[in-house]
Amino acid sequence: MTNENQLADALARSPIYREYEHAYNQITGQPLVLRPVETWQLPHHGRKSENPFCSMMASRSRSCSACLQVQQQLAEGAHDGPCSVTCPTGMTDTAVPVKLGDRVVGFLHTGQIFRQEPTEAMFDKTLALARQWGIEEPEEKLREAYFGSRVVTGKEFDAAIKLLGIFAEHLALVSNQLTVRQENAEPPMITRAKAYIMEHQEEALSLGQVAKAINCSPFYFCKMFRKHTGINFTDYVSRVRIERAKNLLLNPNIRVSEIAYEVGFQSLTHFNRVFKRIVGQSPTRFRCLLPRA
């Protein structure tokens, strides 16, 4: 799993994302998922808010393939901003990127809606496709689900995309904090490991050292740590250090090089590289953009 996918997974499990997903679904009636950049699954399939018609269409591999092609188009088109794609059935999906600098870590994915009232001609075309793809549901059942799908006006659609854009920016700003603080009913051993890392973050920490401190084998600790945090040990330690560095950068009297060594990095070059990967910009740029008193 790539770092981007690990981060997207950690964000998707965070309380703030889950609360937003629930609110978005209640307000718009549309499904929402934070999907990783690299995925071979239908993001809404099997979820409570999935469109019933789309659920039926996803029951066959050929229709799944058509849906996956839409997901691929969205991933390719949403790198720099929101992207909407209309599938062969006439429904629209939208992806909004969650970015750290120029790096896309995931997409807020919504849709399964009509942007215009469906017509009999549209349904006839879709029914022919459904039969071609091997969908065996009765025509009346398909018709009811198809014409019962949500129709979104232009103003509603634009407002929903703007809302997702604001939330994507918020997620990007707090992504590292969420990753570091994620608890999610974690086992006591993971809580102890996090506490140890926080207390010794300025030291040259190793996985073996932390595993020994919590009386656990390195192999089992590595497996459990990744399972419950969504990221590997090395990346987690880096994120803890970067979070502290962001606080120290608030003080304009401390040089960036001093901060790098203070939080546990052994070289300024390594610190700059890791900071930019996690925050999306260099430490110097981050400091320049901080509000002045």
Side-chain angles (χ1 to χ4, degrees), residues 120-135:
E120 285 293 336
M122 291 170 61
F123 176 72
D124 289 343
K125 178 182 177 182
T126 298
L127 180 62
L129 280 174
R131 297 310 186 213
Q132 181 180 332
W133 290 337
I135 305 297

Side-chain angles (χ1 to χ4, degrees), residues 196 200 203-215 218 221 233:
Y196 185 89
H200 301 271
E203 302 173 13
L205 285 172
S206 69
L207 186 146
Q209 175 187 343
V210 178
K212 183 178 180 181
I214 63 171
N215 298 314
F221 170 64
F233 171 80

